[in-house]
Amino acid sequence: MNKETLMNVLIQPHVSEKAANITEKANQYVFRVRSDASKSDVKQAVELMFEVKVEGVNLLNKPGKSRRFKNVAGKRNGYKKAYVRLETGQSIDFTGAAK
């Protein structure tokens, strides 16, 4: 896969309380990824963009929720998340602060 395609695999970091706890305890980071991304695509993209070594990737496909507004039924969009586990001693700094 070429670098241009890999740069578009990761959409954004998924920020939540659960994601923060996982980052502290298990050295895992959570990203929202494209719905057609595979584990190897996510691994290559993280290694390319953040210059770290990835130990493993788990993917989760989150379906959209059914919602109702007044008498009109609708549905929210679903998304795909990737839990990326880094090797020991590796970390990702999202703030961009210089070391």
Side-chain angles (χ1 to χ4, degrees):
M1 193 173 251
N2 62 6
K3 288 186 179 183
E4 256 182 63
T5 310
L6 286 176
M7 295 294 276
N8 293 324
V9 169
L10 300 178
I11 296 172
Q12 66 185 28
H14 185 78
V15 180
S16 66
E17 194 171 338
K18 180 181 177 184
N21 287 337
I22 288 175
T23 300
E24 290 175 10
K25 293 179 183 173
N27 200 23
Q28 285 186 335
Y29 294 86
V30 185
F31 296 95
R32 284 193 183 195
V33 296
R34 291 174 44 136
S35 59
D36 61 345
S38 66
K39 288 184 179 185
S40 61
D41 294 342
V42 173
K43 180 179 179 176
Q44 291 174 1
V46 170
E47 287 179 347
L48 174 71
M49 294 178 72
F50 299 106
E51 298 173 357
V52 293
K53 290 290 181 183
V54 174
E55 187 177 313
V57 175
N58 291 332
L59 294 178
L60 175 84
N61 201 6
K62 186 84 170 156
K65 292 182 178 181
S66 297
R67 292 293 178 195
R68 203 168 212 25
F69 180 71
K70 294 190 177 181
N71 208 17
V72 178
K75 188 172 180 170
R76 287 188 183 169
N77 292 334
Y79 56 91
K80 195 173 209 178
K81 287 196 295 187
Y83 289 86
V84 179
R85 184 174 52 259
L86 301 181
E87 291 183 0
T88 55
Q90 302 278 321
S91 65
I92 296 175
D93 182 23
F94 293 115
T95 60
K99 292 182 182 178

